[in-house]
Amino acid sequence: MKTVDIYTDGACSGNPGPGGFGAILMYKDNKKEISGFERDTTNNRMELTAAIEALELLKEPCEVNLYSDSSYLVNAFSKGWIYNWMKNGWKTESKDPVKNEDLWRRLAEKNRVHKIKFIKVKGHADNEYNNRCDFLATNEIKENA
């Protein structure tokens, strides 16, 4: 099974507001950057979208190291929140509907296909790939909003 490193970031100008995402996929010596824009969204939706869009580019099941500065994204998997949400019919512990269920469902499906390790990185720090993803995301907002 191939091992792929993916860095992701999402950004929003206002919350909600115009948003962008960026991701970098790396396999051996190959590197691919992607980014996108949504006119009316939230920061959390852009964080999830970055991961989904990157994972959807993989053509076969892979081992994935997915790096994100989003605690929302990383903790959902590393702390098992998403598994409880699925088990509880996409409801939180307090029985409220899970926000961004549509995106969480897509991520859960990708997590069944790929062996994904979600890794938290410090945002806006010294990680060149996280900083590049932040640039890609914020640049989408500048160019499209």
Side-chain angles (χ1 to χ4, degrees):
M1 192 177 276
K2 294 177 181 172
T3 300
V4 178
D5 291 325
I6 298 176
Y7 285 81
T8 66
D9 198 21
C12 208
S13 181
N15 202 16
F21 71 84
I24 303 170
L25 296 89
M26 293 180 282
Y27 173 69
K28 294 186 178 177
D29 293 333
N30 300 310
K31 189 181 336 180
K32 180 175 182 68
E33 294 184 349
I34 62 170
S35 61
F37 173 79
E38 287 187 23
R39 188 147 312 282
D40 186 28
T41 189
T42 65
N43 187 64
N44 282 339
R45 286 190 70 80
M46 289 293 88
E47 295 283 2
L48 300 179
T49 298
I52 292 165
E53 293 290 333
L55 290 165
E56 287 183 345
L57 291 176
L58 301 178
K59 294 176 173 60
E60 63 189 74
C62 296
E63 288 189 10
V64 178
N65 296 311
L66 195 147
Y67 299 88
S68 173
D69 62 10
S70 170
S71 295
Y72 180 62
L73 170 59
V74 173
N75 288 346
F77 287 92
S78 65
K79 296 191 176 193
W81 300 345
I82 192 163
Y83 308 110
N84 289 331
W85 297 337
M86 290 188 290
K87 185 176 67 184
N88 296 328
W90 294 99
K91 301 273 192 249
T92 64
E93 275 187 11
S94 57
K95 307 295 184 225
D96 294 320
V98 171
K99 290 182 179 164
N100 305 309
E101 178 185 340
D102 59 327
L103 299 179
W104 286 119
R105 283 180 179 270
R106 289 171 66 192
L107 270 171
E109 179 57 34
K110 295 299 169 197
N111 197 44
R112 280 189 283 276
V113 173
H114 306 288
K115 184 178 178 191
I116 306 171
K117 181 177 181 185
F118 291 87
I119 303 161
K120 177 81 167 67
V121 296
K122 186 174 180 176
H124 311 284
D126 58 358
N127 186 301
E128 70 173 296
Y129 298 117
N130 179 259
N131 290 337
R132 178 65 182 162
C133 289
D134 179 67
F135 171 81
L136 293 169
T138 56
N139 195 54
E140 284 286 341
I141 297 169
K142 287 177 192 161
E143 288 185 358
N144 294 290

